[in-house]
Every structure is written in structure tokens, then in C-alpha cells.
Amino acid sequence: MESPSAPAHRGLVPRQGLLLAASFLTFWSLPSTAQFTMESVPPNAAEGKDVLLRVHNLPGELKRYAWYKGEVVGNNEIVSYVIETQTTINGPASSGRETIYPDGSLLLQNVTLKDTGEYILQIVLKDFAIKQVTGQLRVYPVLPKPNITSNNSNPEEHKDPVMLTCEPQTENTTYLWLINSKSLQESARLQLSKDNRTLTLLIVMRNDTGPYECEIQNPGSAGRSDPLTLNVLYGPDTPTISPSDSHYLRGTNLSLSCQAACNPPALYSWIINGRPQQPTQELFIPNITAHDSGSYICLAHNSITGLTRTTVKNITVYAEQTYLSYSVGTIVGGVIGVLVVVTLGASLGYFLYFRRTRRASDPRDPQEHPPPATTPGQGPSGISAFRSCGENVPPCPLMPSLLPTQGPLPDPKTAGLIYEELLNPNTEVYCRISPRADMAS
């Protein structure tokens, strides 16, 4: 059986109904052949509860047995029982709370701290032989509900250490800590006192709010404190201005919001182009103009820590016509670019077609048959359709809509060749408009 000096954390029982623990340990003073024993039921009882010292395997031929507290002397006799007459006799050490049963067991009702001590059962056989067994009963004090005290319930992040103490201080008591209802984990930021009664947070972070609970235990009872939550002061962090837009049209409303992580909640103010504004978290300016462009600074201030953080946003206000002209110019430029590309492509295609047509209809050198004289810069119908690109160079097409419509259309085969040449043009063919060619013609 376990010694009464065993660590207090062993033999724990449920808290319900336990106020004070008692352990009864048996020490044999009988010869090794003795068979009868006794035990405490429950093994750990509480003050105010009942403890039964139960006897097992009593030898036969008994005349009497008696219970003593401390040592076997007359003044220490608690109660005795005469088997033959079934008579119970209370001794000088009786408190009136003891009851002896015919099987030799002793019931102690509503045990107190004074019931702690050594108990001896003595039996007398019919041959007047005497045997006895000794046990130790220890009564533990009632554990009250603990509570947590703190040297600083409003610590500042990264600055103030915090000491949490589990009260009251009780002998032979085990102290345990829980954070967020979980057993305490090892951490470089946490430190326990030698008896585990004091928990120190060396460096406090914003997530160390808790809740914190302490639990006390002895071999027969346990209690847990109410949760304690720390109010960790932190921030402000660098504020954020929303929305993220920086460009606004003239005449619209400007609405900005500033937000920063902070405990207690930050106090907000604004500076616009160096001019302080009334303190507010939400900034609203209706019908903005170009004068509202510039630097917008949000300030977040912690009134407890005294810290202030800022962030800057540059706002640009545009006139409406600036957006419109830019848009129209972009569209017109794109359209003109597309038309130029289409025109040049069509002109090149017609040039190649015209060149092939002339070669197919007149195999002779084109220099032997110069084109009929025309008015400089005019086509057959008086419309300027070609300009000379230099000597011995075919006429250069300008606009497809102004080209002559005379001449046969190409057959499908020729059209296919033209299509292939359009896809893979001969880069050696080029055209340069020369004012001197016009004068020479």
C-alpha cells in the first residue's frame, strides 16, 4: 500500500462530492501468516464525508475486537465489540461519530481534520491470544475555489511582463495552469515558479489575452478558478486607406476610410495638403475640384500607449473633358491607322495585279510603248490616280477608289497567284512618290 508521503498528484479522484481527502494505509504488526486486513473506503475521503475502515478475512473463534487511535491504551480506545453478546462499548476516544459493525469494520462519519492519525484494530481470540493491525489515516484540508491575481491586467505589447498568481497558497497542493482551456505548453516567453503557483509572461503579445485558469489539487479534492482575460494594449499598426483608387473625376464625391489594428481602438485624423482636418475616421468631400488634388495623410493614434502611425495617399482630380478628349483622340487615331493599313494593302494588291496584267497582254518591253501623254497628275478621266516613282518604274497607285476600272479581270488562276503574292510580298518592290517624277511626266 502506498506511503502517506507519496506525491500529492497521485491517486486523484473526481472532484464531485470531495471536500477533504483521507488516506488509510495498513502496516502489519501481525506475523506474516496473518490473513486479515483492513482498507479505507473510499481510499481518499473528504472532510464532512464518511470513511469506512473495512476488515477482511477475520480469523475464527473470536471473542472481542476493539479500535484505538494512536496506541493501544485505555484512554485511546474508540469503540469495542463483544461478539458473544453482540455488545458495542464506546471508549474514551469516541466522538459519537463512530459505528462498529459485527464484521469488525469501523465507520467514521463526517470526518474532520482531527481524525487524521494512526488507527489500530485489536482482536482477541477465544484462547485469549491477541492480534492487531495498524493503519494511518490522513485527512486533507478542504480546497476552496481558487482565484487568479495579476500584477498588470492591461499590459502593453512587447513591453510589460505579467505575473499571474493562483490563490490561496495551500500546503500539499498541486497547482496547474490552463490557457484557452488547454494545458500549459512550454514556451520561452512563459516561466513558472518552483511550486507552479505563479505564471510569468516575460514578453506579452497581442494574442496572449487568454483566458487563463488555475487549478489546485490534493489527493482528495480539486478546484478550478474562474477564467481571467488580459487586456493587451497594442498598436496602432500602419493604417490603410481605402478605397485604393487615386484618380477621380471633377464633380464627383471623394470618400476615404482609414483603418488600423489597435487596442484600444485608434483615434483618427487627416491632414490634406498640410492642413489638419477635424478628427474623423471617414473622410468625405463632395463635388471635388482640381484644388482637392494633393497629399492625404491619415493619422492613427493610441491614446493609452501614446503611439501614432501614419500613411499617405496622393489624390489626382481630372477634368471631365480631359477624359473625353483623350478617349476620342485614341479612337480617331486607331481608326486612321486602320484605314491607312487597309489603303496601303489594297494599293499594293492592285499594283501587283496591274503589273501582271500588263505583262500578260504585252510581252514586249514596256519602254517601247510609252503610255499616251496625259495631263501631269491626271489619269485617263482627268482624275489623279498615279504618280511616277521614277524612270523605268511602273505607275504607283494611290487610292483604290480613284483607280481606272478598265481592263479585264484576272482569271481564277491569276487571282490565286495574286493572293499568294499578297501573303508573301516581294520586299524588293517598293514605291517612292517623287515630285520631280510628276514634273518630268
Side-chain angles (χ1 to χ4, degrees):
M1 188 172 292
E2 191 176 42
S3 167
S5 62
H9 65 272
R10 295 185 180 179
L12 293 182
V13 297
R15 311 182 187 117
Q16 299 91 309
L18 297 182
L19 299 176
L20 182 69
S23 64
F24 189 84
L25 307 174
T26 301
F27 298 89
W28 289 97
S29 59
L30 289 171
S32 58
T33 56
Q35 299 295 320
F36 77 97
T37 61
M38 62 174 154
E39 63 172 339
S40 174
V41 181
N44 297 291
E47 185 178 21
K49 300 298 180 179
D50 299 339
V51 178
L52 177 65
L53 305 181
R54 179 180 292 175
V55 180
H56 299 281
N57 302 323
L58 282 173
E61 303 298 324
L62 292 177
K63 290 182 63 65
R64 174 181 180 273
Y65 35 76
W67 284 92
Y68 296 84
K69 184 176 180 182
E71 56 181 323
V72 181
V73 293
N75 292 336
N76 292 337
E77 183 177 338
I78 301 172
V79 64
S80 62
Y81 183 80
V82 179
I83 297 174
E84 185 177 18
T85 62
Q86 297 183 356
T87 303
T88 300
I89 305 172
N90 290 327
S94 174
S95 64
R97 297 178 290 109
E98 300 84 9
T99 301
I100 193 169
Y101 292 98
D103 65 354
S105 298
L106 179 66
L107 175 66
L108 302 175
Q109 295 177 297
N110 193 24
V111 294
T112 66
L113 294 177
K114 293 182 179 180
D115 292 326
T116 299
E118 186 178 73
Y119 287 78
I120 302 170
L121 171 62
Q122 185 185 75
I123 61 175
V124 180
L125 303 179
K126 286 187 176 181
D127 60 0
F128 298 99
I130 298 176
K131 297 180 180 180
Q132 65 185 37
V133 63
T134 303
Q136 181 74 29
L137 177 64
R138 183 174 182 180
V139 178
Y140 294 90
V142 175
L143 292 179
K145 182 178 181 178
N147 66 287
I148 301 175
T149 60
S150 173
N151 69 326
N152 188 355
S153 297
N154 300 285
E156 185 175 341
E157 185 180 37
H158 303 298
K159 183 178 179 180
D160 299 328
V162 176
M163 295 179 60
L164 304 178
T165 304
C166 191
E167 301 288 356
Q169 184 176 12
T170 308
E171 294 182 358
N172 302 315
T173 299
T174 300
Y175 293 88
L176 301 174
W177 288 92
L178 300 98
I179 302 178
N180 297 319
S181 301
K182 297 180 180 179
S183 298
L184 191 67
Q185 303 295 321
E186 291 187 6
S187 172
R189 297 190 297 109
L190 301 178
Q191 187 178 78
L192 284 170
S193 60
K194 187 176 180 181
D195 60 357
N196 288 354
R197 183 167 164 255
T198 300
L199 172 64
T200 302
L201 285 74
L202 301 175
I203 302 175
V204 179
M205 308 291 287
R206 65 184 63 181
N207 294 327
D208 292 332
T209 56
Y212 295 84
E213 297 171 280
C214 78
E215 185 173 297
I216 57 177
Q217 300 175 347
N218 66 21
S221 63
R224 181 177 294 189
S225 69
D226 292 329
L228 172 71
T229 301
L230 296 178
N231 181 34
V232 181
L233 307 176
Y234 62 86
D237 294 347
T238 301
T240 301
I241 299 176
S242 59
S244 59
D245 298 338
S246 298
H247 299 81
Y248 294 84
L249 283 174
R250 183 180 63 185
T252 59
N253 297 331
L254 177 63
S255 180
L256 299 177
S257 176
C258 191
Q259 182 66 45
C262 186
N263 183 42
L267 302 176
Y268 297 93
S269 59
W270 294 82
I271 298 177
I272 303 177
N273 293 328
R275 299 188 303 274
Q277 308 297 308
Q278 291 295 327
T280 180
Q281 184 177 3
E282 307 288 338
L283 182 66
F284 180 77
I285 303 177
N287 195 24
I288 56 177
T289 67
H291 296 290
D292 294 313
S293 297
S295 171
Y296 287 68
I297 302 176
C298 170
L299 299 90
H301 176 71
N302 189 321
S303 60
I304 303 299
T305 65
L307 299 177
T308 300
R309 296 286 185 270
T310 63
T311 191
V312 181
K313 188 179 187 67
N314 293 315
I315 299 296
T316 303
V317 179
Y318 288 101
E320 186 175 1
Q321 59 268 25
T322 302
Y323 277 99
L324 292 176
S325 60
Y326 176 80
S327 177
V328 172
T330 302
I331 296 174
V332 172
V335 171
I336 292 175
V338 171
L339 291 176
V340 169
V341 172
V342 171
T343 301
L344 292 177
S347 300
L348 179 59
Y350 187 86
F351 166 72
L352 295 175
Y353 165 71
F354 185 80
R355 178 180 178 187
R356 285 182 173 276
T357 303
R358 290 191 58 186
R359 287 181 179 178
S361 60
D362 188 358
R364 293 175 297 174
D365 189 337
Q367 294 182 0
E368 296 179 1
H369 301 277
T374 60
T375 304
Q378 300 293 324
S381 60
I383 300 175
S384 178
F386 301 92
R387 288 193 178 183
S388 173
C389 295
E391 296 181 358
N392 301 325
V393 178
C396 181
L398 293 179
M399 295 294 289
S401 59
L402 302 179
L403 295 173
T405 59
Q406 298 177 2
L409 295 175
D411 57 26
K413 182 177 181 180
T414 304
L417 294 175
I418 294 173
Y419 177 77
E420 292 294 331
E421 192 160 354
L422 283 174
L423 292 178
N424 301 284
N426 185 354
T427 57
E428 297 179 357
V429 178
Y430 65 94
C431 173
R432 180 168 59 88
I433 300 175
S434 174
R436 290 181 299 177
D438 287 339
M439 296 177 61
S441 61

